[in-house]
C-alpha cells in the first residue's frame, strides 16, 4: 500500500469557536477555512454563529456579517453580489459555487466554507488565480482577422450569433476548472474547462479568421486531450453552462479537419 506523508503545515487543525450572538433566536453555524501566510501556522477551521434575523439570506451576506460584526480579519473576494463577476467563487458545503447566489436556506445544519480546491491559497478564502488567468490569456480571447477593418462593424447573421450562446456568459469564476480531476493533476499543461469553453467561443465566431491557428494551438496531448468527460465542470458551473460539450465540439473539429 502506498503511504503518503503530508508536509506538517498542510494539516488542517481545529480553530477558534467564536461566541454566539447574544439574544439571537435563529442562529446558523459556519465552519470556515482560515490560513494566514504571515502566521507560520497550520491552516485551521474556525466556527462562527450567524444571527439570521440580522443578516441577509446569502452565504456571502453571512461572510460579510461575520467580517463586520465578529472577525474583521476574515479574508475573501467579492464585488458585484449578483452572480456576474465571479469574484466570490468558493467551495460551499462541498460544491464549487458563488457565495453571492448560494442561499443559506439551501444548506442544512452547519455551513462549511473553503477556498476553491487545488489552487494555492493566498489567504483564508482567497485562491491564487494567476495560472488560471494565464491559461485564459493563452487561447488569445479576442477577434483575430486579416480582412481590412470595416467602416462600421463586423456583421454577423442571427444564426451565427446564436453559436456564441452558452459561451459568452462565462464569468471566469473557475468553479468548473477547480472541480475537474484532470485539471487537479495537470494544471500546468491542461487548459481546463473554463479556458477551453472560451477557446470554443472564438472558434465558433463567424467573424474570426484564425480558426486553423486556434485549433493548432490546442493540438496537444495535454492542452485539450486531458479531458476525460467526467462532467464535474458542467455540474459545478453556477451559470448553467456546459464546458464538457464545448470541449467535445473542439475535439470533433480536430477530427473533421483531418478528414
Amino acid at each position: 500500500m502506498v503511504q503518503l506523508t503530508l508536509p506538517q503545515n498542510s494539516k488542517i487543525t481545529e480553530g477558534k469557536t467564536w461566541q454566539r450572538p447574544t439574544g439571537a433566536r435563529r442562529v446558523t453555524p459556519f465552519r470556515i477555512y482560515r490560513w494566514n501566510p504571515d502566521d507560520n501556522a497550520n491552516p485551521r477551521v474556525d466556527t462562527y454563529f450567524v444571527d439570521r434575523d440580522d443578516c441577509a439570506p446569502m452565504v456571502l451576506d453571512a461572510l460579510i456579517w461575520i467580517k463586520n460584526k465578529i472577525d474583521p480579519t476574515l479574508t475573501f473576494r467579492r464585488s458585484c453580489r449578483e452572480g456576474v463577476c465571479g469574484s466570490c467563487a468558493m467551495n460551499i458545503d462541498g460544491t464549487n459555487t458563488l457565495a453571492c447566489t448560494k442561499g443559506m436556506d439551501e444548506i442544512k445544519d452547519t455551513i462549511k466554507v473553503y477556498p476553491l480546491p487545488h489552487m494555492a491559497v493566498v489567504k483564508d478564502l482567497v485562491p491564487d488565480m494567476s495560472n488560471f488567468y494565464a491559461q485564459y490569456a493563452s487561447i488569445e480571447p479576442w477577434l483575430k482577422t486579416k480582412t481590412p477593418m470595416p467602416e462600421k462593424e463586423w456583421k454577423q447573421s442571427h444564426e451565427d450569433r446564436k453559436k456564441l450562446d452558452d459561451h459568452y456568459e462565462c464569468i471566469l469564476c473557475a468553479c468548473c476548472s477547480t472541480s475537474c480531476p484532470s485539471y487537479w493533476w495537470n494544471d500546468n499543461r491542461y487548459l481546463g474547462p473554463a479556458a477551453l469553453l472560451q477557446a470554443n467561443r472564438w472558434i465558433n465566431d463567424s467573424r474570426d479568421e484564425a480558426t486553423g491557428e486556434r485549433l493548432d494551438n490546442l493540438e496537444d496531448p495535454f492542452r485539450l486531450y486531458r479531458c476525460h468527460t467526467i462532467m464535474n465542470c458542467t455540474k459545478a458551473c453556477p451559470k448553467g453552462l456546459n464546458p464538457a460539450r464545448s470541449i467535445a465540439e473542439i475535439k470533433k473539429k480536430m477530427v473533421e479537419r483531418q478528414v
Side-chain angles (χ1 to χ4, degrees):
M1 181 181 294
V2 175
Q3 294 185 350
L4 301 177
T5 303
L6 297 176
Q8 186 64 31
N9 63 358
S10 70
K11 298 178 181 178
I12 300 176
T13 62
E14 186 64 30
K16 180 177 180 179
T17 298
W18 296 77
Q19 186 176 357
R20 288 174 174 265
T22 304
R25 295 183 178 181
R26 292 197 307 141
V27 174
T28 296
F30 272 73
R31 298 268 294 166
I32 302 178
Y33 179 96
R34 304 297 309 277
W35 182 70
N36 186 344
D38 298 327
D39 289 347
N40 196 30
N42 283 24
R44 68 182 192 274
V45 176
D46 284 1
T47 302
Y48 302 88
F49 299 94
V50 175
D51 183 354
R52 295 291 298 275
D53 295 321
D54 187 41
C55 180
M58 300 301 175
V59 171
L60 180 60
D61 296 317
L63 295 176
I64 295 172
W65 188 89
I66 292 170
K67 187 174 181 69
N68 290 341
K69 303 270 182 125
I70 302 177
D71 183 6
T73 67
L74 179 62
T75 305
F76 51 91
R77 289 192 182 110
R78 55 106 172 182
S79 184
C80 72
R81 301 181 70 173
E82 295 181 348
V84 175
C85 70
S87 298
C88 65
M90 52 190 74
N91 187 280
I92 302 171
D93 197 36
T95 301
N96 295 349
T97 188
L98 302 177
C100 65
T101 60
K102 185 71 172 180
M104 285 187 275
D105 288 337
E106 299 177 43
I107 305 170
K108 295 181 179 180
D109 304 322
T110 302
I111 298 176
K112 300 176 183 178
V113 186
Y114 288 78
L116 290 175
H118 177 73
M119 289 187 169
V121 175
V122 177
K123 184 180 179 184
D124 293 345
L125 301 175
V126 179
D128 185 350
M129 303 281 281
S130 301
N131 183 57
F132 177 80
Y133 290 140
Q135 291 172 322
Y136 173 59
S138 75
I139 61 108
E140 300 183 326
W142 54 80
L143 195 65
K144 299 175 72 174
T145 62
K146 297 178 182 178
T147 304
M149 185 75 68
E151 292 184 6
K152 292 186 177 180
E153 68 275 335
W154 295 101
K155 293 184 179 181
Q156 190 173 49
S157 69
H158 292 291
E159 291 73 19
D160 285 337
R161 167 59 186 78
K162 286 183 180 179
K163 294 177 182 178
L164 306 184
D165 289 345
D166 298 328
H167 292 83
Y168 74 88
E169 301 95 331
C170 174
I171 56 176
L172 296 174
C173 63
C175 284
C176 63
S177 292
T178 54
S179 71
C180 173
S182 295
Y183 189 75
W184 297 345
W185 314 138
N186 303 285
D187 72 321
N188 60 329
R189 297 182 65 182
Y190 174 49
L191 291 183
L196 291 172
L197 174 78
Q198 292 292 330
N200 197 44
R201 176 254 181 273
W202 292 102
I203 291 170
N204 285 342
D205 197 320
S206 61
R207 301 164 296 178
D208 190 85
E209 298 175 346
T211 300
E213 180 184 327
R214 294 184 186 281
L215 291 174
D216 288 342
N217 186 40
L218 299 176
E219 188 71 80
D220 179 90
F222 279 86
R223 289 173 66 82
L224 170 65
Y225 291 103
R226 287 301 95 184
C227 171
H228 298 299
T229 322
I230 298 170
M231 302 296 289
N232 280 10
C233 55
T234 298
K235 183 178 180 180
C237 180
K239 304 298 288 186
L241 307 182
N242 193 337
R245 182 175 61 195
S246 291
I247 295 171
E249 289 177 358
I250 296 175
K251 290 179 180 178
K252 182 180 179 181
K253 292 182 177 71
M254 290 290 194
V255 174
E256 288 175 346
R257 74 171 184 163
Q258 298 293 334
V259 177

